[in-house]
């Protein structure tokens, strides 16, 4: 935990100094692996992170959402509220936000955009919050996603739908979560959904440096990661009105290989140097 806290504190200090014109906005995203991890262990780990403005979680069993929210409030105060999707069964999405700094204008799940379906009722719909920064009156969208894993055709349809949705949005938008884009770090290539999502330039990938493996996958049980240099978790921005952004994948001692107590994904952190356009 000491290495983690030092790394995040250094990044936060850098963000504060480089964004003097506006207060940085901090996001933490993590796939919590639902019933594949011990909620007590996950809650303890969440309490070890420095305070963020937004926490975006994927694969949240609704039975444990309150425990995760309480773990963050216990360390960082009661000024946080969380919302979850109604879709996703035991693998829901959750966003927790800083109510002292931001007002929630609207929350919704995206079921489709235009002719593109975003949920065939076997998945979880993207969760979107429309927010306004109290001090500046500036607004933006925050979306967290967990795109389809086993259905590559539908995942591509989701990617195209979200690309078209972002292009039509009047507000600046942040999207963060588990996109299942299978970005192979050595070759610099993602799957067809990754390409479709970025086609046309509506979205900009806030690419971490260094880029490291975000998911431990040992589905054949041989004790080795089947995809040791693959990125599934991303942060993207769209539209005008966001300050410079940077992201990092949080690597903690002993996080991989995971076990039955801990999530099989690494958290990703995003820092945006404030909002620059009134919406």
């Amino acid at each position: 935990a000491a290495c983690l806290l030092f790394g995040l504190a250094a990044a936060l200090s850098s963000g504060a100094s480089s964004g003097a014109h506006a207060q940085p906005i901090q996001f933490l995203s993590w796939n919590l692996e639902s019933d594949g991890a011990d909620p007590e262990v996950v809650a303890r780990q969440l309490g070890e992170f420095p305070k963020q403005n937004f926490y975006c979680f994927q694969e949240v069993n609704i039975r444990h959402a309150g425990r995760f929210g309480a773990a963050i409030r216990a360390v960082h105060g009661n000024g946080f509220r969380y919302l979850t999707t109604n879709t996703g069964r035991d693998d829901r999405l959750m966003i927790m936000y800083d109510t002292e700094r931001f007002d929630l204008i609207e929350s919704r799940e995206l079921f489709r955009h235009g002719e593109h379906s975003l949920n065939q009722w076997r998945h979880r719909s993207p969760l979107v919050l429309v927010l306004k920064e109290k001090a500046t009156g500036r607004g933006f969208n925050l979306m967290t996603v967990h795109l389809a894993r086993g259905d590559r055709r539908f995942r591509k349809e989701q990617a195209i739908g979200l690309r078209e949705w972002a292009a039509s949005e009047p507000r600046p938008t942040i999207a963060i979560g588990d996109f299942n884009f299978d970005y192979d770090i050595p070759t610099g290539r993602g799957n067809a959904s990754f390409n479709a999502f970025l086609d046309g330039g509506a979205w900009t990938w806030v690419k971490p440096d260094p880029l490291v493996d975000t998911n431990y996958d040992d589905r054949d049980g041989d004790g080795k990661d089947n995809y040791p240099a693959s990125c599934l978790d991303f942060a993207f921005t769209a539209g005008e009105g966001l300050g410079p952004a940077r992201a990092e994948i949080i690597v903690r001692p002993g996080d991989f290989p995971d076990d039955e107590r801990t999530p099989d994904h690494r958290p990703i952190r995003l820092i945006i140097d404030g909002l620059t356009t009134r919406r």
Side-chain angles (χ1 to χ4, degrees), residues 70-234:
I72 292 169
R73 292 190 186 110
V75 177
H76 302 302
N78 292 323
F80 283 91
R81 177 190 175 194
Y82 72 85
L83 301 94
T84 66
T85 54
N86 291 313
T87 56
R89 300 180 182 176
D90 288 342
D91 286 336
R92 302 196 191 187
L93 302 175
M94 173 177 168
I95 298 178
M96 196 164 191
Y97 72 98
D98 180 353
T99 64
E100 296 179 353
R101 183 173 170 189
F102 299 94
D103 284 325
L104 177 66
I105 306 303
E106 179 187 355
S107 65
R108 65 183 184 272
E109 296 182 49
L110 297 181
F111 296 98
R112 67 181 304 108
H113 179 75
E115 46 185 50
H116 299 288
S117 173
L118 298 172
N119 191 351
Q120 294 179 331
W121 308 110
R122 297 182 292 110
H123 303 89
R124 55 255 126 198
S125 298
L127 176 61
V128 177
L129 305 190
V130 181
L131 298 136
K132 182 174 70 173
E133 188 176 34
K134 294 181 179 182
T136 64
R138 294 169 181 168
F140 63 99
N141 301 319
L142 171 61
M143 176 172 67
T144 194
V145 307
H146 185 185
L147 301 190
R149 184 57 185 158
D151 188 337
R152 66 178 185 275
R153 290 184 179 179
F154 182 58
R155 181 176 61 237
K156 185 176 179 181
E157 181 173 357
Q158 289 177 305
I160 295 171
L162 290 177
R163 179 191 73 201
E164 300 302 313
W165 173 80
S168 70
E169 271 296 304
R171 286 175 290 267
T173 299
I174 298 111
I176 192 167
D178 180 356
F179 288 80
N180 281 316
F181 282 160
D182 295 310
Y183 185 87
D184 183 68
I185 297 170
T187 64
R189 296 177 181 175
N191 57 28
S193 300
F194 174 81
N195 297 330
F197 187 79
L198 291 178
D199 187 33
W203 291 108
T204 298
W205 180 16
V206 186
K207 189 175 181 179
D209 184 15
L211 188 60
V212 298
D213 190 13
T214 70
N215 170 241
Y216 187 85
D217 185 342
D218 182 22
R219 65 188 65 190
D220 57 7
D222 66 353
K224 298 179 181 179
D225 191 348
N226 294 335
Y227 305 96
S230 178
C231 186
L232 303 183
D233 304 86
F234 295 80

Side-chain angles (χ1 to χ4, degrees), residues 1-29:
C3 294
L4 167 67
L5 295 177
F6 177 82
L8 290 179
L12 176 56
S13 175
S14 173
S17 62
S18 63
H21 63 285
Q23 188 176 358
I25 308 173
Q26 305 158 64
F27 307 79
L28 181 75
S29 175

Side-chain angles (χ1 to χ4, degrees), residues 23-76:
Q23 188 176 358
I25 308 173
Q26 305 158 64
F27 307 79
L28 181 75
S29 175
W30 199 5
N31 181 321
L32 302 180
E33 205 190 355
S34 192
D35 290 332
D38 183 335
E40 183 174 345
V41 172
V42 173
R44 175 178 54 78
Q45 291 178 331
L46 289 174
E48 294 173 352
F49 289 99
K51 182 179 179 180
Q52 311 294 302
N53 300 116
F54 295 95
Y55 299 84
C56 301
F57 301 134
Q58 306 84 46
E59 290 197 28
V60 175
N61 189 312
I62 194 63
R63 299 192 310 271
H64 308 317
R67 179 181 296 195
F68 299 151
I72 292 169
R73 292 190 186 110
V75 177
H76 302 302

